[in-house]
Amino acid sequence: MTYTEKELQERVNTFCKEPKPFFLSGERDFVKILLSDLLREDGSSQKAVLFAGIFKIVTASNADMDDIAFMLREIGFEAYEQKENELAEAAFKGAVIIKSDISDRNNLAYIMRKSGNSSGMRIKEMIDYLSDGVQQKEPFSLINMALIFSLSLGAEKDWEIADKLMSLVDADSSAVHWWKDLGEQNDIEGHLVHLWLQNHRILSESELGTRQYLIEKVNSAYPNVPQWLIDADSAELP
């Protein structure tokens, strides 16, 4: 815990004597720290202390669930940037429980997938989180789902399902830029996504490099990638 139990209680009690609107008070950053500590904490007694402090401040300031979901998203993205994937996953899961927007579900499924733990139960959970977004052809949902089928499941039929999902991505989506940024950080799934989008004429060219460069990067990282994906020539696609 960042604060001792005494420090936490004193600060909570001081705020509750003269509560202010949540986003106008200096206690917002304090609650954010307590939430991060709560998500990290293993001990049940410490969790109870943190939860009680958060509950008192949130109740006294009339904060609504949107406020808390927004804060959990902030914690999730900050943890992801610091490569604290367990904390990021816990924060995004909290946001999904509170709000369950498609964007929250995308964030959670993405960080679960990137954790490298692809047990059957977690794959089913990720697919469930993304299903609504896929039905609405939301680009982040489509790409995330395609990568689950191709990289986490990986049978020939799974790659074929992933290919159909990739064909539905909108070229103007910010998701295209997200995976470009991943590729620039040498995360090869960015190269795979851009190669795939070229195959479907969604991208005419990639900022990550030539088609041959993308193929070399993909082959080096994913030896089980189907040959039809590598051999596809966007000029010959229907």
Side-chain angles (χ1 to χ4, degrees), residues 11 21 23 41 54 81 85 91 145 147 162 170 174 190 203 231-232:
R11 188 157 177 179
F23 272 90
E41 185 60 55
I54 293 167
E81 290 175 358
N85 283 2
M145 188 76 89
L147 292 171
D170 185 342
S174 59
L203 283 181
D231 291 342

Side-chain angles (χ1 to χ4, degrees), residues 34-57:
L34 297 187
L35 274 172
S36 294
D37 286 348
L38 179 64
L39 294 171
R40 285 191 176 98
E41 185 60 55
D42 291 327
S44 57
S45 62
Q46 299 287 58
K47 278 183 176 291
V49 170
L50 290 163
F51 179 81
I54 293 167
F55 181 80
K56 286 180 180 179
I57 289 177

Side-chain angles (χ1 to χ4, degrees), residues 181-217:
D181 290 343
L182 284 189
E184 288 177 342
Q185 297 164 33
N186 207 32
D187 185 330
I188 310 303
E189 79 172 39
H191 300 82
L192 173 61
V193 168
H194 272 223
L195 176 63
W196 226 326
L197 295 177
Q198 280 190 347
N199 286 355
H200 290 290
R201 295 182 180 175
I202 295 165
L203 283 181
S204 58
E205 57 184 24
S206 171
E207 294 180 53
L208 293 174
T210 64
R211 179 178 175 79
Q212 185 57 40
Y213 176 75
L214 298 180
I215 289 172
E216 290 171 3
K217 297 289 282 187

